[in-house]
Amino acid sequence: MATQLGGEDEFKTTIAEYLESLPPQFCKRVFSSPAACLAIFRLLSTIGKQLIMSMLYLDSPLKLQDVLQWARPEHQRLVRSKIHQLRKLQLLTEEKGSVLLNTIFQEQLRNALTGGGDFSSFGVPDSGARDAHITAARLSRYAGERWEAMLRFMVGRSANEAALPALSDTVQRILQSSGLMDRGPDGLRITNSGFQFLLQDSAAQVWTVLLQYLRLAEEKNMDVVEVLNLLFQLVSLQLGRAYTTAQLTANQQRMLSELREFGLVYQDDPSGQRFYPTHLVTTLASSGHARSSDNGGTGPGQSELTKSSEHGYIILETNCRIYAYTSSPLQIAILGLFVRLVSRFSNLVTGAITRDSVRQALTHGITADQIIIFLTVNAHPQMQNRTPVLPVTVTDQIRLWEQERNRLHPTGAYFYKDFEQRQGFERVFRYAQDIGVILWANTEKRQMVVTRQGHAKIAELVKGQRASSAQTPSAS
């Protein structure tokens, strides 16, 4: 799945909104970097790129109507919407019916494409002796292990599973502040958003983490422009090549050490002055980010989750029995969120979807639709050929278990009782009926329950009655 600004994907829109929210003075500093301009350009949609390239070497404004004529009449509305998105990103200005590229962005994008300007923004290669042991395949394995450790931490582990590597405070803070995990009685646990996060491909997951890191950087009073420039620099680097940290600011070196915890960069010596970008970050702006790297390595999303859609491993029977042909601890842990696991072999796990296992998942915020989507995406190829893919009896049962749990909804309310006279109760009761705030009432016992919003109005009426009568109903 390509991560592009202005697309329909939820994560893309969120990242675009962050860039759009930057003040103009911040954008000027970001656009002063050729690497940042090129990275932003690569993240644009196809139409956005075409609009930018068409105006890149024009120094005079273009009439908006002339730009719209580049498209067929039925597509002009789409072009207009893309122009609006470019304006929100401050890449384009529109005045008096004419459009013109942001002059700073225009100049630095030209430099990025022609090799001019400050080319150190694309990273400074390390001039020291190259370590032959650090290959692209090794970097890919390292990134996969670090990223998978985070995903496995999110889903938890079973009692017989080997201990997972401890995550740094920064990683745990990002997982919690982003809403992917919340703190329960037994520590951090996955949330509804966290399970949805697991269903995304690796690039969308990385963008989500980076967006949250930007918000965390603001809380730490770090220079957001420096953070963005390093991020766009990492996107432009070459996999397998060493780069020096000598040109980085103190904030950027701090960011580099924290991104290392996610597997986005590798440092053979944490206190050294060189680092290696991994495929998790170098492929973020590439349309082929979900593919395996040329050396045969795979990203965490590719090896554990995304690959499942191409090579499904789950067989689901009409009696809710599950057979999962996998040896991946991560995939097994995810199944354990909503499946009662029964037995485990070298390449096979069996279990059953039960009422208790589904209710346990629901308590963590996982919805029935998310469970069904996960099972559908990871269904075995033999099941993929069926319509529908999953047995209807099972999907209906999962939704029924969810409805069973959601029958009761707690609502704040006030309980009125102990009316001394029926006349006073009926006056209050009719008024509550007129304004539509009654949740429950028993006229024989002179009792009623009103909404929290309606209590203030009822209390005013009761105060008025106190002045003319001695009857004083109590509210609890």
Side-chain angles (χ1 to χ4, degrees), residues 167-189:
L167 298 184
S168 67
D169 293 338
T170 299
V171 176
Q172 295 189 37
R173 184 177 177 185
I174 287 179
L175 292 177
Q176 188 173 3
S177 61
S178 60
L180 301 179
M181 303 187 75
D182 61 10
R183 188 165 296 279
D186 301 326
L188 291 176
R189 62 180 185 179

Side-chain angles (χ1 to χ4, degrees), residues 333-348:
I334 293 175
L335 283 174
L337 292 174
F338 58 89
V339 174
R340 181 176 63 84
L341 300 178
V342 177
S343 57
R344 178 173 177 177
F345 303 94
S346 59
N347 65 338
L348 173 65

Side-chain angles (χ1 to χ4, degrees), residues 151-165:
L151 298 180
R152 290 173 64 187
F153 179 84
M154 290 179 61
V155 299
R157 63 182 181 88
S158 57
N160 60 348
E161 187 179 359
L164 301 177

Side-chain angles (χ1 to χ4, degrees), residues 31-45:
F31 294 161
S32 64
S33 166
C37 293
L38 181 60
I40 293 174
F41 173 78
R42 293 171 64 191
L43 290 170
L44 294 173
S45 63

